[in-house]
Amino acid sequence: RIVSIMDSWKKAKRRCDKVILVTHSMGGLVARACAKRIPDRIAGVIHGVMPVFGAPAAYRRIAYGTESMSPSNNAFENLVAHGLAKVLGRTTQKTTPVLATSPGALELLPNRNYPQPWLHVRVLKSIRPAAAPSYGVKDDALRYKTVAHEVLHLPNGKVANPYDLYRDMNSWYRLFDPALADPAGKYRKVKGGVIEAIESAIDTAEKFHDSLDGFYHPNTYAFYGDDRDKLSFGQISLVAHQQGASATPLTAANIAAARLLGRTASGQRRILVEEKTQLQFEPEPQEARGDGTVPHQSGEADLAKKVKRVFATQGFDHQGSYNNNEMVMLTLRLIVKIAQETP
């Protein structure tokens, strides 16, 4: 596309030796790959809200469906989010068939540089102290206290590479359920079936991330969302609530090895630990500063070290970043600056 634009200006008897790339979101990753191939044809790059290290929201939306609310949203914003979730898919049954074999979508997942661990499994236990007197059901309930029991933190140890986590299609906390990935039977007669298609898409995404290798065009500027009023998923926390004592002590090992029983209508995952204890897990809401989609930690430090200047910004959501007048003015100013500095 860049070559065709340059040729069109030359045919019009105008000079066009280089172009300026302005990117949004994942377009930043694409532009970095492009600039690495033809750096001499690019005068500079301006990145807006780029998920440099990926975004846990991608994991959440594939594994549990698109979220329909945020703690930082007002009533109207949650109404919009509810409508968006219906379009994108509110359950994993809706999102998995679209995203599981799409390398481009998988490139939005947290890559190996995203701060780890970012996938947490917790059990919240409601316990009433043995010495507490009983004053009736209502008062008794008030006597319970909730204790967080940390169980799993991934990726770490043997699965420090997040792509290995994505390739795991057996664990109950898996990203991809092959049984949901091909409802139309597209891969039924293809060698390797849908599992091989998913693995191929993951391989492509991993190779793409690795090919960037921290590269940025030397004349790069960027801005990202760092807004407490636009909470994003900085991590994914899967939480189950348990009252009273468990039939078996819960450990990282037996939780990891638990059997998936199924999913509730709202997408919670039901598991059975050591064939004795049932738990029901659901993802907690967004908790990190960001732009509603990409959290601030996705590239914050990387950008500061590798581009000419990076701007931490507020007041807009991810999709509407270039609808924000201040961001438009910033982008125009940076375009002028790059043009002035280009020989």
Side-chain angles (χ1 to χ4, degrees), residues 2-20:
I2 290 171
V3 171
S4 67
I5 289 172
M6 295 175 70
D7 286 344
S8 69
W9 283 107
K10 290 175 182 177
K11 289 177 182 178
K13 307 300 182 183
R14 300 296 184 91
R15 178 183 172 186
C16 182
D17 299 323
K18 297 183 178 183
V19 299
I20 298 171

Side-chain angles (χ1 to χ4, degrees), residues 124-148 241-246:
L124 301 182
K125 296 183 177 181
S126 297
I127 302 173
R128 184 170 68 85
S134 176
Y135 300 111
V137 176
K138 182 177 180 181
D139 293 323
D140 235 14
L142 296 176
R143 298 290 300 179
Y144 279 90
K145 66 176 182 178
T146 301
V147 178
H241 296 267
Q242 182 185 37
Q243 283 197 350
S246 170

Side-chain angles (χ1 to χ4, degrees), residues 144-164:
Y144 279 90
K145 66 176 182 178
T146 301
V147 178
H149 182 58
E150 307 292 334
V151 182
L152 286 175
H153 305 281
L154 301 169
N156 64 27
K158 294 181 180 179
V159 289
N161 179 354
Y163 304 100
D164 291 339

Side-chain angles (χ1 to χ4, degrees), residues 295-318:
H296 70 93
Q297 57 263 55
S298 183
E300 182 176 24
D302 195 52
L303 286 171
K305 295 175 183 176
K306 296 183 177 180
V307 306
K308 280 198 166 183
R309 188 167 179 186
V310 60
F311 301 86
T313 57
Q314 302 176 358
F316 56 86
D317 64 10
H318 182 77

Side-chain angles (χ1 to χ4, degrees), residues 1-66:
R1 178 65 177 152
I2 290 171
V3 171
S4 67
I5 289 172
M6 295 175 70
D7 286 344
S8 69
W9 283 107
K10 290 175 182 177
K11 289 177 182 178
K13 307 300 182 183
R14 300 296 184 91
R15 178 183 172 186
C16 182
D17 299 323
K18 297 183 178 183
V19 299
I20 298 171
L21 300 181
V22 179
T23 80
H24 174 263
S25 191
M26 183 186 168
L29 304 179
V30 177
R32 286 170 57 197
C34 175
K36 189 175 181 180
R37 293 178 62 183
I38 53 169
D40 57 319
R41 306 231 181 166
I42 296 172
V45 184
I46 302 165
H47 292 303
V49 296
M50 174 174 50
V52 181
F53 295 153
Y59 190 98
R60 200 269 188 215
R61 291 173 182 179
I62 296 172
Y64 289 89
T66 307

Side-chain angles (χ1 to χ4, degrees), residues 56-67 88 91-92 95 99 292-293:
Y59 190 98
R60 200 269 188 215
R61 291 173 182 179
I62 296 172
Y64 289 89
T66 307
E67 69 281 3
L88 298 181
T91 65
T92 185
T95 58
L99 303 176
T293 299

